[in-house]
Amino acid sequence: MSQEDKVLSFLQEGNSITSLDAFRFWGITRISAHIHSLKNQGFDIVREDIRVKNREGKKATVGRWHLRNTNVNDYVTQIEMAV
């Protein structure tokens, strides 16, 4: 299964994903390229900006992608999946 297939399958299961999630789950370092490709194939993927703290404890904004019009699973559950 390709990296792009893994991302699509994950999103179709109702999950959202950040670049850090993609790296932790599958070692993908350029998820934005896969998201771009999937959007070009007609998948309606939206980006939501979320606030997080960086390793220095400062506020930062990162993107989290999900398929439009899907019930997105609880984000905490996704983090637990990576453990």
Side-chain angles (χ1 to χ4, degrees):
M1 179 180 281
S2 71
Q3 289 181 342
E4 193 169 288
D5 291 338
K6 289 176 184 177
V7 171
L8 178 59
S9 177
F10 191 71
L11 294 174
Q12 288 176 326
E13 290 171 2
N15 299 300
S16 63
I17 193 160
T18 66
S19 58
L20 183 57
D21 295 330
F23 182 74
R24 285 181 176 162
F25 297 160
W26 308 293
I28 296 173
T29 57
R30 294 256 304 126
I31 189 170
S32 59
H34 295 302
I35 296 295
H36 180 75
S37 175
L38 290 168
K39 287 174 116 179
N40 284 342
Q41 294 174 46
F43 293 98
D44 194 4
I45 300 172
V46 294
R47 176 190 160 128
E48 171 188 7
D49 287 337
I50 59 171
R51 299 289 293 184
V52 297
K53 288 186 179 180
N54 66 17
R55 61 179 72 166
E56 297 170 351
K58 296 181 181 180
K59 293 180 182 178
T61 302
V62 298
R64 179 169 64 187
W65 294 273
H66 63 88
L67 287 170
R68 187 182 307 275
N69 298 326
T70 59
N71 292 327
V72 179
N73 292 332
D74 186 338
Y75 196 68
V76 174
T77 304
Q78 292 180 46
I79 292 171
E80 291 171 356
M81 287 173 45
V83 175

